[in-house]
Amino acid sequence: MVENRPIGRALTHLVLILGVTFLCFPVWMALVASTHPPEALSRAPIPLWFGGQAWENYKTILSGGLSQAGGVPVARMMLNSAVMALGITLGKIAISLLSAFAIVYFRFPFRMAFFWMIFITLMLPVEVRILPTYDVMVKLSLLNSWGGLIVPLIASATATFLFRQFFLTVPDELVEAARIDRAGPMRFFWDILLPLSRTNIAAIFIILFIYGWNQYLWPLIITTDESLYTVVMGIGRMMNAGEALPVWHLIMATAVLAMLPPVLVVLAMQRLFVKGLVESEK
Amino acid sequence: MQKRVVFRSKSLPYLLLAPQIIVTVVFFFWPAYQALESSLFIEDAFGFSREFVGFDNFRALFADDVYLASFKVTLVFGFSVTLLTMGISLALAVAADRALRGATAYRTFLIWPYAVAPAIAGVLWHFLMNPSLGIVSYWLDALFGTDWNHYVSGQQALLMVIVAASWKQISYNFLFFLAGLQSIPRSLVEAAAIDRAGPTRRFWTIVFPLLAPTTFFLLVVNLVYAFFDTFSLIDATTHGGPANATSTLVVKVYQTGFVGQDYGASAAQSVILMLIVIAMTIVQFRYIDRRVNY
C-alpha cells in the first residue's frame, strides 16, 4: 500500500470482514443446526446459537444414519469416501509419475501422440459422457465394486502435466551422473527423481484428495449397494428422502462431517495447497 | 522443451505409459466413441433393436423447446456465476493484497470453501433459503417483504443455485487473483503514485490491465466449472426444477439418459457437450502463453 490513510485501511478490513462473513455464515448455520433437536428447527426464525443436542445428533447419524434414506451409518459412508478418495489420489499420482517420466526421459515413436491422448482427457469430464461411460462399466461388470468406483477416475492429465513440468526443471547433470554410476532408468526414478518430487507430490495430493472425496455423480450411478455409499453422494440421497421430514438437524450434522476431512486437509497444509493449486493450472 | 540427456530403451517407455493409456482408452475414448455412434441411432426401450437415423437425434433436440430452454438456463447460470464470483473475489484479493495486518488470517478464512463439495454447498444454501425455516429467507421477508419460495418460483430457484455455486468458487478465484496481484512489481504502482495517480486511477490503469491474463484464465475456468461441475449442486437441491428453471445442459443429459432412458437423445446431448468443452479448452490453451507472461 502506497498511501497510509485511515479511511482506506478501514475500508480494506471492512471488505475482508464482509467476505469472511459471507463465506463462513452457511457453515456456521450448519454447525448450529446440527446441535439442536428437530423441534427447534421446525419454524422460523431458527436459533443462531448452539443447542444442547450435538452429542445425540452426531451419534444417531454416525451409527444409524438416516432411516428414511436407507439407514446407512454415516461412519460407514465416511470410511467409503476415504477409501475412494485415497484410492483415486494414489492411483492418479502413481500412473501420472510413470507417464510423465516416460514422456520426459525417453525418446520413442509416438511420444507426442501419447502425450496428446492424455491431454485430451482434460476435455471429457464424466458429466458430459455419462451414459456411454455407464454402459462401459456394465459391459466390464464393474458396477458396485471398488474397482468401478476408483479405476475410471485415476487417469489424470493435470497431475501428468504438473510432474512433466517439474521433471523438465530437474538438472540434466543428475541423469549424466546416474549414467556414469551405471544406474538404469528405474533406479534413477526411485533413488533420485522420486525423492526430488516429494513437495510436488504432497501439493498435488491435496488437490486430488479433495477431488476424490467430493465426487458425487460417479458413486451415484456406479453404486446401488448401500455398503458402498460415499458421504457426499449419500447426502444427496438424504435430501431427496428427508426434505419433507423434519430432519434438517441430521442432514446438517452429516454435511458438517462430510466437509470436515477436505477442509482440515486444506487448513493443515495451506502453503502446499496454494502451491499445488496455482502451479497445477499452469 | 526437451531434455538434452535421455535414457535409451525400446520397451520401457511403453510399459511406463501403459497404465495411464489403458485407463484413458477404456474409460475415455471408448465411451466417447460410443456416444458418437449411438447419437446416430434410435434404440427401442428394451435395447433389443436399433435403427440408423443419421442426424435425426440432433434435429429432434434442436426442435425441442425444453432442450433449447436448458441452453438458455446454462448461459444465464454460467455467466451469472462467473461475474458474481470474479467480482467478489477481485474485491477480496485487492483488499487482502493491501491489508498489512492479519493478511494471513484473512487468507485462511477465505480459502477453505474450496474444499467443500459443490453438492454440500448446494445443501447448505438450500437450508439457509428454505421457505419455511431458512434464516436467509426469513430475513428477506422481514427486511424487504420478499416472499421466498424456490420450490415454486423458477427465478428464485435459479438465483439460489447461482449464489451457492458462486459461494463455493470464490476461494479459487481469490487465490489466483491474489497471486496475480502479488506478481505486479511494486515499483510500477509507486511510480504512478509519485505521478499523483490516486488508488482508483492506479487500479484501472495499471493493476487491472496487468491482471488481464489471470482474469481471462479465470473467466474460462469459471465457465467450465459452472457448465460442467455444478451437476451435483443442482441435483442435490432443485433437481433442475421447478419446471426446468434450473435444468442446465449437464442436468438434462443425465435426466434424459437415466430418468428418461432415451439413449440416442442422451448420446446426442453428450456429443454437443463434448464439442462445447473442446471449444472452450482450445480457447483456454490458445491464450495460455499470454497468461504466463504477466
Side-chain angles (χ1 to χ4, degrees):
Chain A
M1 190 158 30
V2 182
E3 294 96 343
N4 200 0
R5 285 186 297 213
I7 295 178
R9 217 164 47 210
L11 198 68
T12 301
H13 287 280
L14 183 72
V15 168
L16 287 169
I17 289 165
L18 280 176
V20 169
T21 313
F22 175 64
L23 290 184
C24 293
F25 181 66
V27 175
W28 173 260
M29 288 311 293
L31 279 169
V32 167
S34 71
T35 60
H36 281 281
E39 301 80 51
L41 305 179
S42 57
R43 63 181 184 281
I46 58 168
L48 292 168
W49 191 255
F50 298 100
Q53 220 189 312
W55 174 249
E56 289 88 339
N57 288 348
Y58 282 95
K59 209 174 85 178
T60 312
I61 208 79
L62 274 171
S63 58
L66 189 61
S67 51
Q68 295 88 347
V72 189
V74 172
R76 172 82 219 192
M77 293 200 251
M78 299 275 286
L79 185 70
N80 289 344
S81 285
V83 172
M84 181 185 172
L86 287 174
I88 291 173
T89 309
L90 298 177
K92 269 180 190 274
I93 289 177
I95 69 171
S96 304
L97 274 169
L98 291 178
S99 34
F101 179 55
I103 282 170
V104 173
Y105 281 97
F106 292 90
R107 295 283 160 276
F108 53 96
F110 305 114
R111 191 173 72 101
M112 285 321 276
F114 285 122
F115 182 73
W116 283 102
M117 269 174 85
I118 297 169
F119 171 76
I120 218 162
T121 59
L122 265 189
M123 302 181 188
L124 299 171
V126 165
E127 283 79 4
V128 312
R129 52 184 168 81
I130 188 66
L131 196 56
T133 313
Y134 177 78
D135 239 35
V136 167
M137 302 303 288
V138 176
K139 281 181 190 150
L140 298 175
S141 43
L142 280 173
L143 295 185
N144 283 321
S145 69
W146 284 115
L149 268 177
I150 293 169
V151 178
L153 296 181
I154 67 174
S156 175
T158 325
T160 311
F161 287 150
L162 180 82
F163 290 130
R164 173 181 168 269
Q165 263 343 59
F166 171 68
F167 290 168
L168 286 172
T169 65
V170 171
D172 285 350
E173 286 74 13
L174 287 175
V175 185
E176 283 165 354
R179 279 171 57 170
I180 291 169
D181 288 345
R182 302 206 160 205
M186 287 324 284
R187 185 77 192 274
F188 171 77
F189 178 74
W190 277 113
D191 288 349
I192 297 172
L193 211 50
L194 221 49
L196 284 175
S197 315
R198 268 199 313 242
T199 328
N200 284 284
I201 293 176
I204 196 89
F205 180 93
I206 303 170
I207 310 284
L208 295 179
F209 178 80
I210 294 169
Y211 164 88
W213 183 275
N214 288 348
Q215 285 300 314
Y216 175 88
L217 176 59
W218 192 246
L220 186 69
I221 63 161
I222 293 302
T223 60
T224 45
D225 181 352
E226 284 165 2
S227 65
L228 284 173
Y229 279 9
T230 62
V231 67
V232 172
M233 153 271 211
I235 225 172
R237 287 187 191 264
M238 285 187 192
M239 288 289 282
N240 293 343
E243 218 175 285
L245 307 157
V247 289
W248 279 108
H249 60 304
L250 297 179
I251 294 183
M252 285 299 126
T254 313
V256 169
L257 289 173
M259 277 186 278
L260 209 56
V263 169
L264 282 184
V265 167
V266 163
L267 292 181
M269 302 199 263
Q270 207 184 122
R271 275 216 359 245
L272 273 175
F273 160 69
V274 174
K275 175 184 156 68
L277 192 67
V278 176
E279 286 186 6
S280 64
E281 294 291 350
K282 275 186 182 159
Chain B
M1 216 168 133
Q2 287 203 333
K3 281 271 174 203
R4 204 160 34 79
V5 192
V6 294
F7 290 107
R8 260 179 288 270
S9 170
K10 274 217 165 11
S11 51
L12 188 60
Y14 296 104
L15 269 175
L16 292 170
L17 273 169
Q20 174 103 298
I21 296 294
I22 290 170
V23 174
T24 307
V25 168
V26 174
F27 299 107
F28 287 79
F29 286 97
W30 188 13
Y33 168 76
Q34 289 227 322
L36 273 176
E37 196 198 300
S38 41
S39 69
L40 304 176
F41 287 86
I42 286 183
E43 201 164 319
D44 71 40
F46 307 102
F48 290 139
S49 66
R50 58 184 203 167
E51 186 192 348
F52 182 79
V53 292
F55 289 106
D56 276 7
N57 281 323
F58 292 93
R59 249 174 250 134
L61 274 184
F62 284 107
D64 179 5
D65 287 339
V66 180
Y67 187 67
L68 293 178
S70 80
F71 249 102
K72 211 182 110 195
V73 170
T74 310
L75 286 178
V76 172
F77 177 72
F79 281 97
S80 311
V81 168
T82 304
L83 276 178
L84 195 62
T85 311
M86 291 179 77
I88 297 176
S89 330
L90 183 58
L92 289 173
V94 170
D97 190 41
R98 288 167 56 99
L100 299 172
R101 259 167 222 244
T104 332
Y106 283 126
R107 202 184 72 170
T108 307
F109 279 109
L110 291 171
I111 63 172
W112 62 267
Y114 173 85
V116 177
I120 310 273
V123 170
L124 293 179
W125 281 94
H126 203 235
F127 176 61
L128 291 179
M129 311 290 259
N130 187 295
S132 55
L133 53 89
I135 192 79
V136 173
S137 54
Y138 173 79
W139 285 340
L140 283 175
D141 188 27
L143 292 175
F144 309 106
T146 316
D147 183 16
W148 185 275
N149 191 342
H150 56 251
Y151 293 102
V152 178
S153 161
Q155 277 183 333
Q156 290 179 350
L158 187 58
L159 188 60
M160 179 184 74
V161 288
I162 288 172
V163 170
S166 311
W167 176 83
K168 189 240 159 340
Q169 190 69 352
I170 285 174
S171 307
Y172 183 90
N173 283 255
F174 167 77
L175 277 172
F176 275 87
F177 273 133
L178 189 61
L181 285 171
Q182 287 174 342
S183 71
I184 294 174
R186 294 281 132 167
S187 51
L188 275 180
V189 179
E190 280 160 16
I194 292 169
D195 288 344
R196 297 189 155 219
T200 322
R201 177 97 190 267
R202 287 202 305 270
F203 178 78
W204 289 113
T205 54
I206 298 175
V207 177
F208 192 69
L210 283 171
L211 271 182
T214 310
T215 311
F216 186 81
F217 163 78
L218 286 174
L219 180 74
V220 179
V221 168
N222 289 331
L223 284 175
V224 171
Y225 160 79
F227 289 171
F228 305 107
D229 293 342
T230 47
F231 167 82
S232 57
L233 195 160
I234 295 172
D235 187 66
T237 55
T238 63
H239 314 290
N244 291 318
T246 52
S247 171
T248 59
L249 290 169
V250 202
V251 174
K252 193 90 178 75
V253 74
Y254 172 79
Q255 286 178 345
T256 312
F258 283 92
V259 186
Q261 303 273 326
D262 189 344
Y263 208 113
S266 179
Q269 291 182 27
S270 281
V271 172
I272 294 171
L273 282 172
M274 283 192 250
L275 291 177
I276 299 175
V277 192
I278 290 171
M280 291 177 79
T281 317
I282 291 171
V283 172
Q284 184 180 347
F285 276 83
R286 266 189 71 101
Y287 289 89
I288 199 135
D289 291 335
R290 291 213 354 225
R291 200 179 83 75
V292 181
N293 290 333
Y294 52 70

